[in-house]
Amino acid sequence: YLVDQIAIIKPRIICALGRVSAHWLLQTNEPLGALRNAENSYHGTPVLVTYHPAALLRNPNLKRGAWEDFKKLREIISDD
């Protein structure tokens, strides 16, 4: 279902929230930290990987990194 939705919508960028979604989209077992700092794509669509919201609730120290990721996402979107 998700694959079909992505094909229909043709997003400019995908934001993968958490390790599970990033691993599924990118078909990799790389650690989340490595994926966050890499340029990723799903069938040609850029994928920005960041922490899952539940992880931020469990570990507030991750919020700074997530904030930086979302600023990067905003920058990418506003460039288009």
Side-chain angles (χ1 to χ4, degrees):
Y1 181 78
L2 178 61
V3 172
D4 292 338
Q5 291 295 306
I6 292 171
I8 292 168
I9 295 170
K10 296 179 182 67
R12 291 184 288 173
I13 189 166
I14 298 169
C15 184
L17 299 176
R19 181 183 51 83
V20 174
S21 63
H23 281 183
W24 187 88
L25 281 170
L26 303 173
Q27 294 298 296
T28 185
N29 287 319
E30 290 286 322
L32 184 67
L35 294 172
R36 282 185 60 239
N37 296 314
E39 290 189 19
N40 306 292
S41 71
Y42 174 79
H43 297 279
T45 301
V47 176
L48 184 124
V49 178
T50 192
Y51 300 107
H52 190 280
L56 301 176
L57 291 173
R58 286 191 306 270
N59 187 349
N61 294 329
L62 299 177
K63 288 182 181 180
R64 168 68 66 194
W67 178 246
E68 295 302 322
D69 293 338
F70 282 110
K71 288 193 318 190
K72 190 184 319 179
L73 178 63
R74 181 177 58 187
E75 189 176 296
I76 291 167
I77 291 171
S78 66
D79 283 347
D80 289 343

